Amino acid sequence: MTQRDEGHDYRDSKNKAQAYERKQKYEAIIDMVIRWLDSNIDDAMNEFDPLASDSADLKQKIELALDPSTTKKQIEDGDLWKILNFTTIQ
């Protein structure tokens, strides 16, 4: 194996390790946000609390976006409520 090949192997494994670390970090961030939203929802004084309502809406959108059947295009289009309405109608 040449020195150039070894450099490519090192770079490839480093890139894979960084991608894995980013994925783990993103998952940890999502978990943290979900816990924070749950806390806002649980701490609300009543069901009409605007913070609790917004938190519940955001949590539902995040969960829809994370669903394996949701496509990247649907997320980029940003109208996750259409997905929710479509899945609840079926």
Side-chain angles (χ1 to χ4, degrees):
M1 182 176 280
T2 67
Q3 187 177 6
R4 184 166 191 249
D5 291 339
E6 290 172 6
H8 285 302
D9 288 343
Y10 171 76
R11 207 170 34 248
D12 289 345
S13 64
K14 183 179 175 185
N15 289 342
K16 287 178 185 177
Q18 288 173 338
Y20 176 78
E21 184 65 28
R22 267 193 311 277
K23 184 178 183 296
Q24 296 300 313
K25 187 176 180 180
Y26 293 155
E27 290 174 1
I29 291 169
I30 293 295
D31 290 342
M32 179 187 66
V33 170
I34 294 291
R35 284 192 311 271
W36 178 72
L37 293 171
D38 283 338
S39 175
N40 286 347
I41 295 165
D42 293 343
D43 292 346
M45 296 301 237
N46 61 52
E47 63 186 68
F48 301 109
D49 184 319
L51 179 61
S53 177
D54 285 349
S55 294
D57 290 346
L58 180 56
K59 180 182 175 187
Q60 192 170 27
K61 284 184 176 185
I62 291 170
E63 289 172 342
L64 285 170
L66 292 174
D67 187 285
S69 64
T70 303
T71 65
K72 183 178 180 225
K73 179 158 177 27
Q74 290 171 316
I75 295 168
E76 289 171 345
D77 289 347
D79 198 359
L80 296 173
W81 294 122
K82 285 182 182 176
I83 299 168
L84 176 64
N85 291 335
F86 179 74
T87 56
T88 55
I89 291 172
Q90 290 184 346

